[in-house]
């Protein structure tokens, strides 16, 4: 019997090898390969010539570039000590400047900006297309920062120590070579670092698996190893958890896409926190460790339900004991979208029927109490700019047709005021927003928003774009995106945002009903929304298009292969498409908790039913799909889009393709690149759907 099993395993492995050998487009996975880049350049040239010739191209490009470079854009703050820090791009700062203003001046509405680092000048000096990827400051004075810089916009970064007073990188300061990973100050002379430390120190997902404490003046390779995960893990990384003046060194071992061990380094030993591996952690406040449950958790015969936000006494948790307090338990129509802390308060953004509500929680006399913040209604809320030294914070409110507004607020007395709003980049008075629900194949009601002119005619001729994502418990809620206004709504288009399963709009279960073997629910939800629009005579397949990025790029790739009858335009951005090899390409292995493992026959059985690359057929009436990607995307491999285009072209299908040479997974690094991408995308959509 044992011999038979070994033979069977060998045959399964051989079968996968044979299938891989049959893929004659593998050469396109060589990111910088000469032949591959020649293919990219040819496709880029052909598609650009076609779309640049469209009558709306230049108008869309000019308007979007003006929007991205507008001095009226909001300068979002990162509050560190007595300063508000901001990264800013405009026509004079193509790659951007990192700057700061005294917090008092910023809060007054009259910031006095001091440029700390000019990325354009740095790029010119180093002859590298640097992209600013954020910074980590030295608490509490924040006179030094670890600046993260990416070559071309990928996730891998170079880390350099920067003195904000001299505005210079420290000559002999901390410096980490390019790698995926992170670094934070423990104190002035110590970092906690996870990085590529050499052979055998990275996971199969391409992330670090070792965490070290690094002392100033010593070699990184000789830094103290405090924890090491397994090669098969997604990643292991470290950070600092602050509760007032106290700081804790935490290590996070990501076992899978959605499970993690939370560990504390204390007294030269690792303490594992006894909480569910699938719970998400949301910081600490007044010794209360905040977590959200992704599954039911029974403690001392009491069951805490999926989705509940609760806290545990951290001192007791370190001893292995559980003193639990419930903060909030969302209902079937709600989910927790964001959690932040100020000095004394907990801020919770609760999504109800896909619109945001903000609450302030206080921990007094051993229990949590809450007050609702009277924010504007029927939009999205994002908590911004909190710090450790006060209860002041900033939040943003946005919806589809109201220019985004940044508010300054005080959690202590529950007050807020408008700080700055975007200008009206387009006349939104002509449009209205409606929310509908469509019945999916299994009877689930799936909500969606529709933005259209108030006088829209229901005759089935409206060019209509459906945007969706459907994965990783990421919620899509209303947003003000001026590009859609000037590029689509003003051109007569209807815009639809679909809140399909796989996302987080209604909590963990909404997500879990769309993963692995349940993935078809996600696709069926998109078809239900599309068919509902047709039934309502908003549009017809001739005028209906879909767009999605990353996981959403996979979504629309599946849609046009499963239901080519429904769509006349498809925009697949930074997509996963080859679902047999996705776990072998860049960070792909880290997503097996979402999609499944194609190397396990039982899981490949359901994956292969929708993998777009494997379900292409000759002689089908596919729409002419527009694929976009980036050479510098080190998260989702550009080979997915490249191979799909090559295979479709060889089958006789016309495609459109644009691969930016930089930009990383975001697709673009500069305003000009973003404007070009928008002009190409919306010129394509108008050409196909009007």
């Amino acid at each position: 019997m044992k011999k038979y099993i070994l033979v069977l395993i060998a045959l399964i492995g051989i079968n996968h090898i044979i299938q891989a050998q049959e893929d004659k487009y593998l050469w396109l996975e060589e990111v910088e390969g000469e032949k591959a880049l020649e293919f990219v350049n040819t496709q880029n040239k052909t598609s650009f010539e076609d779309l640049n010739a469209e009558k709306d191209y230049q108008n869309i490009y000019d308007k979007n570039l003006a929007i991205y470079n507008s001095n009226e854009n909001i300068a979002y703050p990162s509050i560190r000590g007595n300063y508000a820090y901001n990264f800013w791009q405009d026509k004079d700062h193509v790659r951007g400047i990192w700057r700061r203003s005294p917090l008092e001046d910023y809060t007054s509405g009259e910031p006095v900006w001091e440029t700390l680092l000019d990325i354009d000048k740095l790029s010119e000096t180093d002859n590298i297309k640097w992209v600013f990827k954020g910074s980590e400051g030295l608490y509490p004075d924040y006179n030094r920062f670890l600046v993260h810089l990416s070559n071309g916009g990928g996730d891998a970064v170079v880390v350099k120590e920067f003195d904000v007073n001299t505005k210079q990188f420290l000559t002999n300061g901390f410096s980490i070579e390019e790698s995926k990973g992170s670094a934070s100050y423990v104190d002035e002379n110590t970092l906690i670092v996870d990085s590529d430390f050499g052979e055998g120190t990275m996971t199969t997902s391409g992330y670090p698996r070792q965490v070290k404490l690094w002392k100033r003046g010593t070699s990184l390779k000789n830094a103290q190893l405090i924890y090491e995960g397994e090669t098969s893990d997604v990643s292991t990384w470290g950070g600092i958890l602050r509760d007032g003046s106290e700081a804790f060194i935490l290590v996070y071992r990501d076992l899978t896409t959605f499970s993690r061990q939370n560990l504390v380094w204390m007294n030269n030993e690792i303490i594992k926190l006894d909480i569910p591996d699938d719970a998400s952690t949301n910081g600490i406040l007044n010794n209360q460790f905040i977590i959200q449950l992704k599954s039911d958790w029974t403690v001392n015969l009491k069951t805490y339900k999926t989705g509940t936000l609760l806290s545990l006494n951290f001192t007791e948790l370190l001893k292995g004991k559980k003193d639990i307090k419930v903060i909030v338990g969302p209902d079937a129509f709600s989910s927790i979208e964001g959690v932040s802390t100020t000095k004394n308060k907990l801020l919770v953004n609760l999504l109800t029927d896909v619109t945001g509500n903000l609450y302030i929680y206080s921990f007094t006399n051993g229990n949590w109490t809450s007050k609702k913040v009277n924010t504007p209604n029927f939009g999205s809320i994002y908590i911004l700019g909190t710090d450790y030294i006060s209860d002041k914070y900033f939040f943003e409110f946005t919806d589809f047709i109201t220019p985004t507004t940044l508010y300054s607020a005080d959690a202590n007395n529950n007050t807020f005021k408008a700080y700055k709003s975007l200008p009206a980049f387009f006349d939104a008075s002509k449009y209205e927003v409606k929310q509908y629900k469509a019945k999916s194949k299994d009877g689930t009601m799936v909500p969606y928003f529709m933005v259209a002119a108030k006088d829209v005619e229901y005759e089935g001729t409206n060019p209509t774009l459906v945007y969706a994502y459907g994965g990783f418990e990421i919620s899509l809620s209303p947003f003000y995106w001026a590009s859609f206004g000037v590029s689509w709504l003003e051109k007569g288009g209807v815009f639809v945002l679909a809140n399909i399963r796989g996302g987080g709009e209604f909590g963990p279960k909404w997500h879990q009903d769309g993963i692995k073997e349940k993935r078809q629910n996600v696709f069926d939800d998109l078809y239900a929304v599309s068919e509902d629009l047709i039934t309502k005579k908003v549009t017809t397949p001739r005028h209906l298009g879909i767009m999605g990025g990353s996981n959403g790029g996979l979504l629309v790739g599946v849609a046009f292969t499963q239901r080519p009858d429904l769509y006349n335009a498809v925009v697949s951005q930074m997509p996963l498409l080859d679902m047999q090899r996705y776990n072998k390409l860049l960070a792909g292995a880290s997503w097996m908790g979402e999609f499944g493992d194609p190397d396990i026959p039982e899981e490949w059985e359901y994956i292969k039913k929708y993998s777009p690359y494997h379900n292409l057929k000759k002689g089908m009436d596919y729409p002419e799909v527009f694929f976009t990607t980036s050479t510098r995307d080190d998260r989702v491999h550009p080979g997915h889009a490249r191979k799909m285009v090559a295979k479709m072209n060889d089958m006789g299908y016309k495609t459109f393709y644009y691969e930016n040479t930089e930009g990383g997974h975001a697709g673009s690094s500069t305003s000009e690149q973003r404007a070009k991408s928008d002009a190409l995308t919306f010129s394509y959509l108008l050409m196909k759907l009007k």
Side-chain angles (χ1 to χ4, degrees):
M1 183 66 179
K2 183 178 180 181
K3 182 178 179 181
Y4 171 78
I5 292 172
L6 291 173
V7 171
L8 181 61
I9 291 172
L11 288 173
I12 290 170
I14 290 170
N15 185 47
H16 275 273
I17 292 170
I18 291 172
Q19 288 175 331
Q21 289 174 339
E22 289 174 351
D23 185 354
K24 64 179 182 179
Y25 304 104
L26 281 177
W27 55 275
L28 285 165
E29 293 179 4
E30 190 177 343
V31 176
E32 301 284 353
E34 183 178 349
K35 185 180 177 183
L37 290 180
E38 183 179 329
F39 170 86
V40 168
N41 292 334
T42 300
Q43 298 299 318
N44 276 354
K45 184 175 183 293
T46 301
S47 295
F48 180 75
E49 288 174 352
D50 287 348
L51 297 176
N52 182 51
E54 287 297 306
K55 65 182 180 67
D56 290 304
Y57 178 90
Q58 195 62 44
N59 173 268
I60 294 172
Y61 177 86
D62 291 342
K63 286 190 173 182
N64 278 281
L65 184 59
I67 289 168
Y68 291 129
N69 281 335
S70 172
N71 288 327
E72 295 301 310
N73 283 321
I74 297 172
Y76 291 101
S78 294
I79 301 173
R80 299 292 181 267
N82 296 318
Y83 286 88
Y85 290 79
N86 168 258
F87 180 70
W88 182 263
Q89 289 177 294
D90 58 27
K91 64 181 178 61
D92 297 320
H93 307 97
V94 176
R95 297 201 166 269
I97 52 174
W98 183 44
R99 59 186 186 173
R100 69 177 182 177
S101 167
L103 184 56
E104 185 177 350
D105 293 327
Y106 181 89
T107 305
S108 73
E110 298 292 336
V112 179
W113 293 114
E114 171 192 13
T115 297
L116 301 172
L117 183 62
D118 187 320
I119 307 300
D120 292 275
K121 290 181 180 178
L122 183 66
S123 296
E124 184 178 353
T125 300
D126 294 349
N127 195 27
I128 296 174
K129 294 179 179 179
W130 288 122
V131 176
F132 184 75
K133 286 283 187 172
S135 62
E136 290 284 334
L138 175 59
Y139 176 89
D141 295 329
Y142 296 100
N143 52 10
R144 290 182 179 180
F145 283 80
L146 301 172
V147 172
H148 296 217
L149 297 167
S150 165
N151 181 355
D155 291 345
V157 295
V158 170
V159 178
K160 297 182 178 183
E161 190 173 22
F162 189 84
D163 187 316
V164 294
N165 295 318
T166 64
K167 302 177 188 175
Q168 298 289 329
F169 290 109
L170 273 68
T171 303
N172 296 311
F174 288 116
S175 181
I176 303 172
E177 294 182 359
E178 184 179 73
S179 172
K180 292 183 179 180
S182 63
S184 300
Y185 285 103
V186 176
D187 56 45
E188 183 177 358
N189 294 309
T190 312
L191 300 186
I192 181 169
V193 179
D194 51 278
S195 185
D196 185 347
F197 298 114
E199 185 178 353
T201 66
M202 303 292 277
T203 68
T204 53
S205 295
Y207 294 103
R209 69 183 187 95
Q210 292 185 344
V211 178
K212 295 185 177 185
L213 290 179
W214 184 20
K215 293 291 185 180
R216 188 180 298 278
T218 65
S219 167
L220 179 57
K221 69 177 182 180
N222 294 327
Q224 180 185 4
L225 177 66
I226 63 171
Y227 193 79
E228 183 175 39
E230 297 295 328
T231 304
S232 57
D233 293 344
V234 170
S235 66
T236 299
W237 54 286
I240 302 298
L241 186 68
R242 295 198 179 280
D243 186 15
S245 59
E246 285 193 273
F248 302 94
I249 298 175
L250 263 69
V251 174
Y252 306 93
R253 180 188 176 194
D254 292 337
L255 303 169
T256 68
T257 318
F258 304 109
S259 64
R260 167 188 295 169
Q261 291 180 351
N262 294 270
L263 312 155
V264 179
W265 174 257
M266 183 175 284
N267 299 323
N268 288 317
E269 66 177 10
I270 284 286
I271 301 171
K272 182 181 181 298
L273 300 182
D274 188 13
I275 58 175
D277 287 347
D278 63 351
S280 64
T281 57
N282 300 98
I284 188 171
L285 179 68
N286 298 334
N287 199 42
Q288 293 295 302
F289 188 65
I290 317 297
I291 70 171
Q292 186 192 3
L293 300 180
K294 304 299 182 179
S295 59
D296 289 356
W297 188 30
T298 300
V299 179
N300 297 329
L301 303 180
K302 182 175 181 178
T303 299
Y304 300 90
K305 294 296 184 181
T306 302
T308 301
L309 187 71
L310 48 80
S311 69
L312 298 95
N313 182 304
F314 194 59
T315 304
E316 294 301 305
L317 186 60
L318 289 170
K319 300 174 184 176
K321 301 176 182 178
K322 301 183 190 69
D323 178 6
I324 301 173
K325 302 292 182 182
V326 172
I327 302 171
V328 59
D331 59 25
F333 303 101
S334 302
S335 67
I336 294 167
E337 184 66 8
V339 179
S340 298
T341 59
T342 65
K343 182 179 181 181
N344 301 297
K345 305 292 182 180
L346 185 72
L347 306 174
V348 178
N349 178 12
L350 193 66
L351 205 62
T352 302
D353 284 326
V354 205
T355 57
N357 297 276
L358 183 58
Y359 294 86
I360 299 171
Y361 282 83
S362 304
F363 190 71
T364 53
N365 299 321
N367 289 293
W368 291 97
T369 59
S370 69
K371 292 181 179 179
K372 189 177 188 300
V373 182
N374 189 28
T375 61
N377 296 319
F378 306 114
S380 301
I381 293 168
Y382 299 97
I383 305 166
L384 305 165
T386 61
D387 67 17
Y388 303 115
I389 62 175
S390 78
D391 289 322
K392 293 181 179 179
Y393 67 102
F394 289 83
F395 72 88
E396 174 187 273
F397 179 84
T398 182
D399 65 30
F400 293 110
I401 56 178
T402 306
T404 300
T405 299
L406 179 67
Y407 292 88
S408 61
D410 191 327
N412 188 49
N413 56 25
N414 193 11
T415 59
F416 66 90
K417 63 180 180 180
Y419 177 79
K420 183 177 176 60
S421 297
L422 286 177
F425 287 113
F426 65 98
D427 181 6
S429 65
K430 298 180 289 186
Y431 308 102
E432 63 182 353
V433 181
K434 295 181 178 179
Q435 189 179 27
Y436 297 108
K437 288 186 178 181
K439 182 181 285 189
S440 194
K441 185 176 181 179
D442 65 355
T444 300
M445 300 306 293
V446 180
Y448 66 92
F449 292 96
M450 186 178 86
V451 188
K454 293 176 180 177
D455 59 355
V456 65
E457 295 182 356
Y458 293 86
E459 296 179 351
T461 57
N462 297 294
T464 302
L465 175 64
V466 179
Y467 187 88
Y469 186 78
F472 295 91
E473 205 176 339
I474 294 173
S475 304
L476 297 185
S477 54
F479 57 86
Y480 182 81
W481 192 357
S483 292
F484 275 106
V486 301
S487 309
W488 188 244
L489 296 178
E490 287 189 340
K491 307 290 185 184
V494 173
F495 178 69
V496 173
L497 186 71
N499 302 115
I500 60 181
R501 279 174 286 184
E505 288 88 344
F506 299 106
K509 188 176 185 302
W510 193 251
H511 167 239
Q512 292 160 9
D513 283 348
I515 66 173
K516 292 189 173 181
E517 73 277 5
K518 299 179 181 179
R519 200 76 189 173
Q520 188 61 41
N521 287 335
V522 177
F523 313 136
D524 290 342
D525 288 358
L526 178 63
Y527 309 149
V529 170
S530 303
E531 289 169 335
D532 200 51
L533 292 166
I534 294 168
T535 300
K536 286 183 168 63
K537 295 187 176 180
V538 174
T539 193
T540 57
R542 161 67 183 81
H543 302 285
L544 181 58
I546 47 176
M547 181 163 70
S550 192
N551 171 73
L554 167 64
L555 168 70
V556 300
V558 173
F560 87 80
T561 52
Q562 288 190 350
R563 292 295 307 272
D565 58 304
L566 271 182
Y567 309 106
N568 199 42
V570 177
V571 181
S572 180
Q573 303 167 314
M574 313 298 180
L576 290 86
L577 296 165
D578 180 350
M579 296 305 289
Q580 186 172 40
R581 284 183 52 75
Y582 86 90
N583 62 327
K584 298 174 178 62
L585 300 174
L586 298 175
S590 66
W591 310 319
M592 290 192 291
E594 178 82 10
F595 303 117
D597 184 350
D599 294 328
I600 298 175
E602 295 82 5
E603 298 189 13
W604 171 241
E605 192 62 30
Y606 59 74
I607 296 171
K608 74 178 183 181
K609 292 177 181 177
Y610 69 78
S611 177
Y613 188 63
H614 298 90
N615 282 281
L616 286 172
K617 300 180 181 68
K618 293 182 179 179
M620 301 295 290
D621 190 18
Y622 292 139
E624 296 177 350
V625 183
F626 185 20
F627 296 96
T628 71
T629 187
S630 165
T631 311
R632 295 295 298 173
D633 189 346
D634 55 359
R635 193 180 312 173
V636 176
H637 199 292
H640 285 279
R642 293 175 179 181
K643 295 198 303 178
M644 192 76 167
V645 167
K647 189 173 184 178
M648 291 184 71
N649 290 352
D650 285 352
M651 286 182 169
Y653 298 113
K654 179 176 174 58
T655 59
F656 293 86
Y657 185 79
Y658 174 58
E659 179 174 320
N660 191 12
T661 55
E662 59 172 305
H665 195 54
S668 302
S669 300
T670 68
S671 297
E672 286 79 3
Q673 292 172 17
R674 296 180 192 103
K676 180 180 179 180
S677 178
D678 289 340
L680 291 170
T681 299
F682 287 104
S683 293
Y684 161 81
L685 289 167
L686 291 167
M687 175 184 70
K688 303 303 295 182
L689 300 181
K690 287 198 78 170

